[in-house]
Amino acid sequence: MYMCLSINVNGITLSPDARFFLAPEKPLHRQYEALRAFFVEGQPSHEVARHFGYSPGAFRVLCHEFRHVPEKRASFFQHVKHGPQSAPVRDRVRDLAVAMRKKEPVGL
């Protein structure tokens, strides 16, 4: 059963779902949300830095890396590697089993 417990942050009661976005625990997620607040929402850098636990200088460095280091942007979303679309060994075994059944039918 899912229970919606509330957490109070800065006088605002947050559900666990809201807290996931507004108070991220993992460093990469925190960086993403901080950059999003600054670039998308237009929040002042000093407020974003304070809210997400960065010093103003560290947040400036994070913004600089985001703007100028392609690998930094790429690190937020990883490409999903899909597995093989066929199973060559299994397919060969299946084909062999079918061929053998056709040659020698099993009698009851």
Side-chain angles (χ1 to χ4, degrees), residues 79-90:
H79 295 284
V80 176
K81 293 182 180 180
H82 296 284
Q85 300 303 311
S86 65
V89 172
R90 186 187 67 205

Side-chain angles (χ1 to χ4, degrees), residues 65-80:
E65 288 177 347
F66 180 76
R67 286 180 175 126
H68 301 288
V69 180
E71 294 81 19
K72 185 66 179 177
R73 286 179 185 241
S75 70
F76 288 112
F77 299 102
Q78 298 178 2
H79 295 284
V80 176

Side-chain angles (χ1 to χ4, degrees), residues 15 28 39 46 58 61 66 68-69 75 77 91 96-97 99:
S15 70
L28 194 59
F39 288 112
H46 67 279
V61 169
F66 180 76
H68 301 288
V69 180
S75 70
F77 299 102
D91 292 343
L96 179 61

